[in-house]
Amino acid sequence: MWRHHTESRRPRSPHQHKTKGKQFKASVELAISGNPVTISSEHESIHRAVNDAFASAERCLKERGERRKTQRHQALCTMEE
């Protein structure tokens, strides 16, 4: 299951007078093995915010997959000893 959410927001700091405009925030929500994971990205470009959020989600899933693969391999090695 996954969902994504995009919103527009102004910079939080009142001292940032040199900003070019709105900041967009994109969030991707994943449920991995029943555990919710939210990944967010902020950028001045809505397209960049969405692309960055999905790229981060993809990296997260790949890292989790590699960790699980390593854990399975270690478990098999332990059983063989």
Side-chain angles (χ1 to χ4, degrees):
M1 177 183 121
W2 66 273
R3 288 185 277 167
H4 78 278
H5 173 75
T6 307
E7 66 183 53
S8 170
R9 57 174 31 186
R10 298 234 180 251
R12 293 187 182 130
S13 174
H15 303 292
Q16 292 179 341
H17 299 290
K18 296 179 183 178
T19 58
K20 295 179 183 177
K22 293 182 180 180
Q23 289 286 315
F24 293 94
K25 180 179 179 182
S27 299
V28 178
E29 296 179 14
L30 305 169
I32 302 172
S33 301
N35 299 320
V37 177
T38 302
I39 300 163
S40 299
S41 175
E42 289 190 37
H43 202 272
E44 290 178 4
S45 163
I46 190 169
H47 302 290
R48 182 73 183 263
V50 171
N51 287 338
D52 287 354
F54 275 99
S56 293
E58 183 178 14
R59 280 193 305 273
C60 178
L61 290 172
K62 285 180 180 179
E63 288 171 4
R64 283 175 174 261
E66 287 298 318
R67 274 186 271 159
R68 290 188 70 176
K69 188 176 180 180
T70 301
Q71 289 172 349
R72 276 187 256 133
H73 179 71
Q74 288 175 348
L76 288 173
C77 289
T78 303
M79 292 174 67
E80 292 176 356
E81 293 178 354

